[in-house]
Amino acid sequence: MINVRAIIKLYKGDTYRKTPFHNGYRPLFKFINDMNKSGKITLLNRDTFSPGDEGEVKITFIDNNYLGSDFGRGKKFTFGEGAHILGEGKVLEIIN
């Protein structure tokens, strides 16, 4: 398993997610163009993450497939559901 601490921003607006998410949310992450990677978000110091929020989270991936050869601190990514991008983020630390 790969665990990272990241800062994420959940977009706000009519075309984005309208409800908050909770621990265990599993969006698709995109580190490489046209390659999605499933991961699980664990919230840090909060119970919900609402549209428009920005904050630190832990993200758990089963393996390092589709994370890219340059995966590490500072790596930027987007996340969403299906083809809909709902937010963006940046890796702060790999915590394995």
Side-chain angles (χ1 to χ4, degrees):
M1 290 199 154
I2 309 293
N3 292 297
V4 300
R5 189 173 56 89
I7 188 159
I8 62 169
K9 179 176 183 176
L10 183 60
Y11 299 148
K12 182 178 183 178
D14 292 339
T15 59
Y16 302 105
R17 185 179 177 98
K18 295 173 178 40
T19 58
F21 64 80
H22 306 274
N23 273 324
Y25 178 53
R26 293 180 179 268
L28 295 174
F29 294 86
K30 188 176 288 190
F31 290 89
I32 302 172
N33 288 338
D34 301 323
M35 299 297 247
N36 289 323
K37 175 75 173 171
S38 178
K40 180 178 81 169
I41 293 178
T42 301
L43 301 177
L44 303 175
N45 304 315
R46 60 170 68 199
D47 296 324
T48 62
F49 206 97
S50 299
D53 282 356
E54 185 171 336
E56 287 187 29
V57 298
K58 181 176 98 172
I59 307 170
T60 302
F61 301 102
I62 291 176
D63 56 37
N64 63 355
N65 293 333
Y66 309 119
L67 296 177
S69 60
D70 60 345
F71 178 74
R73 186 176 181 174
K75 180 70 174 179
K76 294 183 180 181
F77 58 89
T78 60
F79 64 94
E81 298 170 3
H84 302 284
I85 295 174
L86 301 177
E88 62 188 49
K90 181 170 78 171
V91 174
L92 299 175
E93 175 186 18
I94 298 173
I95 53 177
N96 284 1

